[in-house]
Amino acid sequence: MSIAENIARIRENMAAAAREAGREPGEITLVGASKMNDADACRQAIAAGIDALGENRVQEMVQKLEQHAYDGAPLHFIGHLQRNKVNKVVGHVALIQSVGSAELLEAVGKAAAARDLVQDVLLEVNIGREAAKSGFLPEELFAGAEAALENPHVRVRGLMTIPPADADRDTNMRYFEQVRTLYVDINEKLFHNELEYLSMGMSGDYADAIRAGATMVRVGSAIFGARHYS
Ligand SMILES: *Cc1c(COP(=O)(O)O)cnc(C)c1O
């Protein structure tokens, strides 16, 4: 299967899940998670109409930016971001999906201020309370969002989450629903219902995520094929 065929099939599945949930297929954004795939694969995804590409590793993203891998589509940063690398990301991507702590939020704001711009971000929620994972705990999210609202150089566009990898399907679905509840709540209480993006769901569970309310899914291997870690 080609990248274009994979994207077409995923779009059909996304549309079916959206309709099941009583929503418009067109309101869900497909982000291609292109880590470990080369510039040519990125270009194929863009030619096939992917809505955005998302990268995880700063170094790989910088290299592929130099190769103009992302020309023609918005670029997102979706991976763990270290504070000492924010300068290589802020202002270079349309959206940082993985802002998961007050410290990182402040560092992003500082880098954006130095460049005299406003960086769009999603707040990442650590819904499974995993020690090894970044992200705001649910009870920290409100304060994180309030800090973001006070920072003129960051603009929160929504939430992102990655549930624990070992959750069974029902548990996974419950995690998605919990994040959706948080999203609706902070959207109403803090953002005048102007948030647009609830980013959740990957190759194995994007249809469930859409059923649970995702407006953005991040799909890697189902588009680009299995990644080979050496
Ligand atoms: C790799 C990655 C994805 C996509 O994972 P697949 O299972 O290959 O679809 C989504 N989100 C993030 C943050 C990732 O790192």
Side-chain angles (χ1 to χ4, degrees), residues 3 35-36 39-40 47 58-59 63 68 72 75 91 110 126 129 135 141 156 175 192 195 219 230:
I3 286 171
K35 58 175 173 272
M36 299 182 73
D40 183 56
V58 173
Q59 190 57 31
Q63 271 173 17
H68 297 278
L75 175 61
K110 233 182 213 171
N126 184 357
R129 315 184 75 88
L141 183 64
V156 175
Y175 283 131
H192 312 287
L195 299 180
V219 180
S230 51

Side-chain angles (χ1 to χ4, degrees), residues 33 35 56 78-79 160 162 201-204 218-222 227:
K35 58 175 173 272
N56 280 69
I78 63 177
M160 185 272 248
I162 311 170
M202 315 198 291
S203 290
R218 310 172 310 271
V219 180
S221 49
R227 290 179 292 273

Side-chain angles (χ1 to χ4, degrees), residues 60-79:
E60 180 180 342
M61 185 185 88
V62 168
Q63 271 173 17
K64 281 149 82 176
L65 272 170
E66 283 167 5
Q67 296 164 358
H68 297 278
Y70 314 111
D71 289 5
L75 175 61
H76 296 180
F77 192 79
I78 63 177

